[in-house]
Amino acid sequence: MNQGIEVAGLYVHDQDEALAFYVEKLGFRVHTDVGNGDYRWLTVQHPEQPSFQLGLFRPGPPVLDAATAQAARAIVAKGAMPPLVLRVDDCRAAYERMRGLGVEFTQEPVERYGTVDAGFRDPSGNGWKLIQARG
């Protein structure tokens, strides 16, 4: 039996804005974009990880009631969710390229723990660590 995680999701406040950010600034590709009434299943993939999808989901029905959705949006906007990690070959070069595309960083590249890392947030507030692969 072959098993594994195929989709991990993030809550975003605007799916179109999130889609533009992940595709145009981070280089992801659209995998699935389908709707069912007000619900939209939207996933993207990193070009070097075609078996894994990152879901860009808007909190709300049918998954969350209105009060819970509002609380989830507030937590994400504060940057309170655990950060995701994007591994790159050269953190400083990726930082400069992404900054040139308008990505707002919360931390410039720093050497520590035997590698280099930087931090940024997506337009909804989800935190990311940009970490250089150990050579």
Side-chain angles (χ1 to χ4, degrees), residues 22 55 103:
Y22 283 91
V103 174

PDB file of all heavy atoms in Angstrom, residues 22 55 103:
ATOM      1  N   TYR A  22       1.371  33.161  -4.812  1.00  0.00           N
ATOM      2  CA  TYR A  22       2.084  31.880  -4.871  1.00  0.00           C
ATOM      3  C   TYR A  22       2.576  31.543  -6.274  1.00  0.00           C
ATOM      4  O   TYR A  22       3.642  30.949  -6.425  1.00  0.00           O
ATOM      5  CB  TYR A  22       1.215  30.761  -4.281  1.00  0.00           C
ATOM      6  CG  TYR A  22       1.209  30.820  -2.777  1.00  0.00           C
ATOM      7  CD1 TYR A  22       0.244  31.539  -2.085  1.00  0.00           C
ATOM      8  CD2 TYR A  22       2.220  30.213  -2.038  1.00  0.00           C
ATOM      9  CE1 TYR A  22       0.274  31.643  -0.706  1.00  0.00           C
ATOM     10  CE2 TYR A  22       2.253  30.312  -0.669  1.00  0.00           C
ATOM     11  CZ  TYR A  22       1.284  31.024   0.001  1.00  0.00           C
ATOM     12  OH  TYR A  22       1.342  31.131   1.365  1.00  0.00           O
ATOM     13  N   GLY A  55      -2.908  23.678  -0.436  1.00  0.00           N
ATOM     14  CA  GLY A  55      -4.266  24.185  -0.603  1.00  0.00           C
ATOM     15  C   GLY A  55      -4.364  25.617  -0.107  1.00  0.00           C
ATOM     16  O   GLY A  55      -3.843  25.947   0.954  1.00  0.00           O
ATOM     17  N   VAL A 103       7.856  40.603  -2.607  1.00  0.00           N
ATOM     18  CA  VAL A 103       7.613  39.843  -1.380  1.00  0.00           C
ATOM     19  C   VAL A 103       8.151  40.661  -0.209  1.00  0.00           C
ATOM     20  O   VAL A 103       9.284  41.138  -0.243  1.00  0.00           O
ATOM     21  CB  VAL A 103       8.293  38.454  -1.435  1.00  0.00           C
ATOM     22  CG1 VAL A 103       8.158  37.733  -0.098  1.00  0.00           C
ATOM     23  CG2 VAL A 103       7.709  37.616  -2.567  1.00  0.00           C
TER      24      VAL A 103
END
